[in-house]
Every structure is written in C-alpha cells, then in structure tokens.
Amino acid sequence: MMAAILVAGGAGYVGSHTVIKLLEKDIDVIIADDFSNSDERVIHAIEAITGKTVKSYAVDLTQKEEVRRIFDENEIIGVIDFAGFKSVGTSSKAPLAYYRNNLEILLNLLSVMQEQGVYHLVFSSSATVYGNPESLPVKESDKQKPTNPYGQTKVMSERILRDLAKSDERWSFISLRFFNPLGAHKSGDLGENPNGVPNNLAPYITQVAIGKLSELKIFGHDFPTSDGTSVRDYMHVDDLAEGHVAAMEYLLTTSNKFSGFEALNLGSGKGYSVLEILRAFEQVTGKKIPFEYVEKREGDAAESFASIEKAKEFLGWEPKYTITDMCLDTWNWQQKHPNGYNEA
Ligand SMILES: NC(=O)c1ccc[n+]([C@@H]2O[C@H](COP(=O)([O-])OP(=O)(O)OC[C@H]3O[C@@H](n4cnc5c(N)ncnc54)[C@H](O)[C@@H]3O)[C@@H](O)[C@H]2O)c1
C-alpha cells in the first residue's frame, strides 16, 4: 500500500483542484465523497488532466463504518477535510442538517484517525467564522461572530480541533479560514459546477454572460463602499488549492515539530466590489452583463478582506493569480462546459 492523503469532499470545487495539486507533486490521494454536491465525472476529469488514476470512495462520511473501511483498506498518513454543506442561506432554513452533516463528518474522521494513529488534519474553515468584521483587514485573532448555522459549524469544528489538540500533543491541525474562491482549472475541464441557480457571484455572472440567466441580481447598492456594492476578498481556486497542499506538507514535515492547532486566513488580502468583479468579467468575456439591484441580504457585511500575513509567514504561501486570471479561467470553463459535466 502506498502512503496517501485522504481528501474528504475531494470531488467538490476546492477539493478537486487540491487533488490535482497533490498528484502533480506525486503525493498519493484517496478521494471520499458522497457526490451530494458534486459529480462522479469530476474523478474522470482529474484523471484526464493528471494522467494518473485516482482511488475514490462514493461514501457518506457521516457513516463511521465507511470511514473506518477507507482507513482499513489504505495507508492514510493525513487528511484534508473539505466535506460538508456550504450554503449560508440553506443553513438557516435547515440548521439540523448542517450541524449533523458538517460536525459528524469531522467527528468520524477524527475518531477513526485516533483509532488508527493518524494525527495530521487540514480543515477547510471559512471567513464566515468572523461574521461582520470589526476592523479590516480581518485577522485570525479577531472575534468570531458567525451570523448563520453554516458559520457556526465552522466555529464548532475549530473548537473540537483545539480541544483535541490540547488532549494529546501528537495531534497537529491547521484550519484554513478562506475567503472567496474564483476561477477554474487552466484546462477548462474542471470548475465550479453548482446545482440549480448559483449562490456564488462568479458562476452567476458567467451564466448570465452565456445566456442561461437573464441578469445578475446585486444585493444592495447603498453600502458605505466606493460604488455602493459590497466588497469581498477573491482568490483563484488554484491558489487556495496550493494553500491546502502547503498546510498538509507543513504538518507532515517532522522537522517543523509542529503540534497543536493553528488557524490561518487564505485570501488575496485585497477587496473588490461586486461592480468591479462584474466589469472584470465584461472585459474578459467581451459581453455586457445586465444587472439589477435588489434588497440587501440580512447580515451581509459591507466589506470584508483578509490579512494574509500569518499564512505567508507560517506556510510561505502567497496567492499568485490576478482578478483577470480568475475571470478568464472561469469563463474558459463555462464556455467549454456550459452544462457542467453533462455533455448536451
Ligand atoms: N467555495 C467557497 O466559497 C468556500 C468558502 C469558504 C469555505 N469553504 C469550505 O470549503 C469546503 C469545500 O468547499 P467547496 O466550495 O469545494 O464545496 P463543494 O460543495 O463543492 O465540496 C464539498 C464536497 O463535500 C461533499 N459532501 C458533502 N457532504 C458529504 C458527506 N456526508 N459525505 C461525503 N461527502 C460529502 C459534497 O458532495 C462535495 O463534493 C467546504 O467545507 C466549505 O464549507 C468554501
């Protein structure tokens, strides 16, 4: 058996890009995903892009026996946990489903890791742990005040990791609180593939550009920002994937002698307004993107962007791509695969 990294939720948007980066570094990967928010064809896309075969398990990770089976059948040396539900809006309507899924996955992974003596885990947390930022840029030491159950699951997950790390110094955890990923793989064969009407800005804009949706709805135009629309921190999904790989490598490098828990922001460190992103997409696509202003969403902050100094120092990680790169790659993916992984 080859020593491998278990990537939970590895068929998802960020997970699949991270799997490619791991494979490109000749790090063996096992993917576990129930495909509830992804597609089995993502595995084929990863294999076609990398020229490598990937072992994957179609399993619900809230089933502990399934998690145990993966560990029994493979030599897992570390885990990256992307698996979970991620819609802020749905989490307020179905909090139990969110708490159950997001927490049970992590608890199962950790219990089986403990049974098997595997002590390194990178966790995908989120900027939503901060809620409405008190000051900018947002630092890791800032207060955590999530405004929805989704964000709470991330705060609770980090709490679990902290407590566990205190109980036994063999554990080492890095929680990556990331801001807004954009973009797609350079090949145009892997990208964000939302079910139904997209929640996120980029797929919404490109679906308008390609004519699948009629116009972009912009939530609020009277925020205290330069153009009245809300400002967020966007980074290329490949930069984010590199951040996850750097974190896993950091944990696996014994000379770092790292034990315990560390939370790191990943972002570009810069803020862009919705209109700035829209204009960047217009330039890249050469199309006018119609939009209308609608009511602000409850709890939406005017402005949020990250301080990324800690990640730079800790991991030596820095984002490489620009907003134009992010728009170009999203557009390339959307044009090559207007119906996601469905051919027609
Ligand atoms: N995309 C973002 O904007 C963003 C921002 C901050 C944090 N995050 C976090 O990063 C992680 C990955 O995000 P993403 O955008 O790639 O999401 P995604 O939905 O594309 O990926 C999550 C994957 O987990 C799988 N999954 C869900 N429940 C499962 C279960 N019970 N068993 C097995 N697999 C299960 C889904 O099928 C999906 O493939 C998530 O934890 C998310 O909360 C995402």
Side-chain angles (χ1 to χ4, degrees):
M1 275 194 283
M2 295 273 283
I5 303 298
L6 173 63
V7 184
Y13 173 47
V14 188
S16 57
H17 288 82
T18 303
V19 166
I20 289 183
K21 295 277 172 209
L22 288 165
L23 293 172
E24 283 172 354
K25 292 197 138 190
D26 285 328
I27 300 173
D28 251 22
V29 172
I30 308 287
I31 292 178
D33 203 300
D34 67 355
F35 302 104
S36 55
N37 196 38
S38 49
D39 195 298
E40 304 218 23
R41 285 167 288 188
V42 167
I43 310 289
H44 306 312
I46 293 173
E47 291 184 332
I49 289 167
T50 60
K52 297 189 176 179
T53 40
V54 184
K55 189 164 176 187
S56 66
Y57 286 81
V59 289
D60 177 354
L61 294 164
T62 64
Q63 305 301 310
K64 193 168 173 185
E65 285 314 310
E66 298 282 26
V67 178
R68 199 173 275 129
R69 183 164 68 89
I70 301 171
F71 277 79
D72 285 344
E73 291 176 5
N74 300 281
E75 193 197 335
I76 309 285
I77 52 168
V79 177
I80 309 184
D81 180 18
F82 292 102
F85 295 152
K86 64 162 183 177
S87 159
V88 166
T90 315
S91 80
S92 299
K93 293 189 195 102
L96 278 183
Y98 269 67
Y99 285 117
R100 180 168 293 134
N101 198 47
N102 292 7
L103 295 175
E104 274 187 8
I105 291 170
L106 182 65
L107 288 170
N108 284 343
L109 288 169
L110 292 169
S111 329
V112 176
M113 287 171 73
Q114 190 169 46
E115 283 169 20
Q116 308 254 350
V118 179
Y119 292 105
H120 312 298
L121 180 133
V122 174
F123 179 68
S124 282
S125 185
S126 167
T128 50
V129 299
Y130 300 112
N132 269 326
E134 277 174 349
S135 58
L136 292 166
V138 179
K139 290 192 205 63
E140 289 83 351
S141 53
D142 288 357
K143 276 221 180 74
Q144 299 190 5
K145 296 174 300 172
T147 55
N148 52 70
Y150 164 68
Q152 290 289 2
T153 69
K154 297 296 186 192
V155 172
M156 289 178 186
S157 297
E158 290 194 0
R159 179 79 260 160
I160 292 167
L161 295 174
R162 265 204 196 88
D163 288 345
L164 194 56
K166 267 194 233 148
S167 75
D168 183 338
E169 63 181 18
R170 284 174 296 183
W171 287 111
S172 64
F173 301 124
I174 294 181
S175 180
L176 299 173
R177 297 175 181 165
F178 50 90
F179 285 64
N180 303 282
L182 272 191
H185 189 261
K186 280 266 165 296
S187 63
D189 291 330
L190 192 69
E192 192 172 6
N193 182 37
N195 296 326
V197 177
N199 279 315
N200 288 346
L201 183 59
Y204 207 115
I205 291 181
T206 55
Q207 290 197 13
V208 173
I210 210 159
K212 282 176 90 177
L213 294 168
S214 58
E215 60 184 4
L216 173 70
K217 299 204 184 323
I218 299 182
F219 300 104
H221 64 282
D222 58 355
F223 286 105
T225 58
S226 60
D227 61 26
T229 64
S230 57
V231 168
R232 294 288 178 273
D233 182 324
Y234 298 92
M235 103 196 90
H236 198 294
V237 65
D238 268 350
D239 280 329
L240 184 52
E242 295 268 15
H244 282 78
V245 175
M248 191 75 249
E249 284 184 316
Y250 188 88
L251 297 184
L252 292 173
T253 307
T254 39
S255 57
N256 284 329
K257 291 195 169 53
F258 174 69
S259 123
F261 171 91
E262 203 64 60
L264 305 173
N265 288 343
L266 295 184
S268 65
K270 298 183 200 91
Y272 290 90
S273 75
V274 176
L275 284 181
E276 282 171 325
I277 297 292
L278 181 107
R279 302 292 174 229
F281 268 108
E282 284 186 334
Q283 281 217 325
V284 159
T285 61
K287 290 173 191 277
K288 188 108 199 95
I289 296 172
F291 65 89
E292 85 166 323
Y293 289 118
V294 295
E295 281 280 292
K296 273 184 199 160
R297 288 177 299 196
E298 213 187 300
D300 255 2
E303 205 167 347
S304 170
F305 57 90
S307 159
I308 54 171
E309 296 312 310
K310 195 172 163 191
K312 278 187 193 167
E313 205 179 302
F314 206 84
L315 300 176
W317 168 89
E318 237 177 309
K320 294 198 282 271
Y321 296 102
T322 64
I323 285 287
T324 307
D325 298 326
M326 299 176 212
C327 295
L328 272 171
D329 292 340
T330 309
W331 184 228
N332 184 29
W333 152 249
Q334 177 75 72
Q335 281 187 302
K336 267 185 103 172
H337 297 276
N339 299 311
Y341 296 98
N342 300 317
E343 283 310 318

